[in-house]
Amino acid sequence: MESPHSVNSPRRILSLSKQRVSFQDPDDKTGFGLSGEHGPKPSEVYGFVGSITVVVASIIFLIWAYVPEHWLHSIGITYYPSRYWALAVPTYVIVTIVLGLGFYIGLNFMSTPSPASLNTIYDEHSRDPSPINCSGDGAENAIEPMSDIDITRINNIMFRDTNL
């Protein structure tokens, strides 16, 4: 039944041929993307509620920051924070983000070895090339085992030394 050009995955079969590809879940009983009998996933609900909360909070913030005080008093809103915080909080957040990024970049520079250090060339995962043992008739070339390329060979290739 399956075509020879198909990939099996735990959730669906994707056809790599020119036939029409269907991305519907074969286990889906409702057809609406809900997870069967259990309703929507909690992450979807939290994402939806979070996005609505952010939109409502942004609208309230913009109304508080830009609407004149006498308009707020006329609709019965008399207690609210000082307008100073309409500029101070976003400024503090931006400065904190910039300082955090600067600290993160500085920490990475401090933890990186210097370019002259041998730790940039060799580490505990380095592999030296091992000799190939070919016990065949020579018609089949063996695949070399995985290893790191020696730095002298890289320098010879980069700086065009003809003696490889």
Side-chain angles (χ1 to χ4, degrees):
M1 294 219 162
E2 293 182 8
S3 70
H5 304 289
S6 65
V7 176
N8 281 328
S9 77
R11 302 291 288 164
R12 59 181 68 97
I13 297 174
L14 301 175
S15 173
L16 299 177
S17 63
K18 293 184 180 183
Q19 299 170 355
R20 185 169 182 231
V21 178
S22 174
F23 291 105
Q24 291 183 351
D25 190 2
D27 297 333
D28 189 10
K29 295 177 176 80
T30 60
F32 289 110
L34 298 177
S35 59
E37 302 161 2
H38 303 291
K41 297 176 185 173
S43 60
E44 294 171 352
V45 174
Y46 294 148
F48 176 74
V49 170
S51 65
I52 296 298
T53 304
V54 166
V55 168
V56 169
S58 299
I59 290 172
I60 289 172
F61 173 78
L62 292 174
I63 289 172
W64 164 66
Y66 290 111
V67 171
E69 287 187 27
H70 66 275
W71 285 12
L72 293 174
H73 288 290
S74 68
I75 59 173
I77 301 175
T78 57
Y79 182 74
Y80 46 86
S82 172
R83 298 288 169 107
Y84 163 79
W85 295 108
L87 292 176
V89 170
T91 304
Y92 289 153
V93 168
I94 290 172
V95 168
T96 303
I97 290 172
V98 168
L99 288 176
L101 286 173
F103 179 73
Y104 180 72
I105 291 170
L107 190 63
N108 281 332
F109 277 128
M110 287 175 45
S111 65
T112 303
S114 69
S117 172
L118 287 178
N119 290 333
T120 59
I121 300 172
Y122 299 107
D123 63 357
E124 67 271 8
H125 303 289
S126 298
R127 295 185 192 180
D128 292 330
S130 61
I132 302 173
N133 296 329
C134 294
S135 59
D137 58 356
E140 295 182 16
N141 292 333
I143 298 174
E144 294 183 19
M146 187 182 305
S147 65
D148 293 332
I149 301 173
D150 191 23
I151 191 68
T152 56
R153 186 171 178 194
I154 297 295
N155 286 337
N156 288 336
I157 292 171
M158 286 183 63
F159 300 114
R160 304 202 190 283
D161 192 359
T162 57
N163 300 326
L164 295 176

